[in-house]
Amino acid sequence: EVIGGVLTHVLALPILRLPSRAMPPIGCAVMGVLLGFLLVDCCFDLLVLLGEPDGGEGKAGGGRAAPDEARRAAFAYYHTILNTLHINSVLWIAMLALVLAAARGLQEAQGGGGRVWARLLSQVSCTNALYVFTVMPRYLAIRAAGSGGFEPAFFDDWWQVLAVRCLLIASITWAGATCVQLTVAQGGGGQEAGGKKAR
């Protein structure tokens, strides 16, 4: 895993050598991958939360999964994902790519464009930090447990994880919309320059 961590950094660092025009499209692609992961995770978050008992009702009460069944299913998913090297590598590359792409865009931005890239950089950095400090400790506990080391306490107050994940989804969606606008603006600028040359 140390080798995998080093390789993810090596694969992400070349972003700093790419032209700044390439940053918005890279951001769109990376954020699409991250949104996919987050939306899948939300399914298991909801499974855990909807499996919580209401007023002592069990599985027969509302047709929901029993709390332990829901938590066991979520544990099996998260434990498998968190111990899979290629999934972890893709996530590391994606998180690094977002920060590096925003930093690269800020490096060459001028005027009002600099404010856009500064906002993107601060937004990506803050949401990544929030995720690392609030969700990762829970993930590390699940990851360290053996495949048979399920404990219901892993998923206590899991609504906090879902809240952070929803905030991340909103942040990534907003940043993605900004990257789409930047990509379209760059394409429009190129076409306008081409039209002027043709004249």
Side-chain angles (χ1 to χ4, degrees):
E1 292 197 352
V2 173
I3 294 173
V6 171
L7 285 176
T8 57
H9 282 72
V10 169
L11 290 171
L13 283 174
I15 287 175
L16 294 174
R17 311 261 322 177
L18 294 175
S20 59
R21 288 177 59 84
M23 297 304 109
I26 289 174
C28 290
V30 171
M31 284 184 274
V33 171
L34 288 176
L35 276 177
F37 277 117
L38 289 169
L39 290 173
V40 171
D41 288 347
C42 278
C43 296
F44 289 90
D45 296 339
L46 292 172
L47 179 67
V48 171
L49 295 176
L50 294 176
E52 298 298 325
D54 282 336
E57 291 183 359
K59 185 175 180 179
R64 300 174 179 175
D68 268 6
E69 291 178 2
R71 292 185 178 203
R72 282 184 185 279
F75 175 79
Y77 166 74
Y78 285 115
H79 185 268
T80 301
I81 290 296
L82 294 170
N83 284 284
T84 305
L85 181 59
H86 67 279
I87 296 294
N88 290 330
S89 297
V90 169
L91 286 174
W92 272 116
I93 290 174
M95 292 176 73
L96 286 168
L98 284 182
V99 175
L100 293 175
R104 178 74 178 113
L106 179 61
Q107 182 182 20
E108 291 196 8
Q110 296 178 355
R115 289 192 295 273
V116 172
W117 283 110
R119 178 178 60 77
L120 283 174
L121 180 59
S122 61
Q123 182 181 331
V124 168
S125 299
C126 288
T127 50
N128 280 358
L130 179 65
Y131 192 80
V132 166
F133 285 110
T134 59
V135 178
M136 288 303 293
R138 292 173 174 270
Y139 280 178
L140 291 175
I142 294 172
R143 187 176 186 272
S147 56
F150 166 74
E151 293 182 19
F154 286 150
F155 298 94
D156 287 347
D157 296 321
W158 199 255
W159 63 268
Q160 298 171 1
V161 174
L162 180 60
V164 172
R165 212 182 305 281
C166 289
L167 180 62
L168 266 176
I169 290 173
S171 174
I172 289 174
T173 302
W174 186 23
T178 302
C179 284
V180 169
Q181 290 175 350
L182 290 171
T183 302
V184 171
Q186 288 180 166
Q191 289 176 359
E192 184 178 345
K196 287 179 179 178
K197 286 182 181 178
R199 291 175 191 173

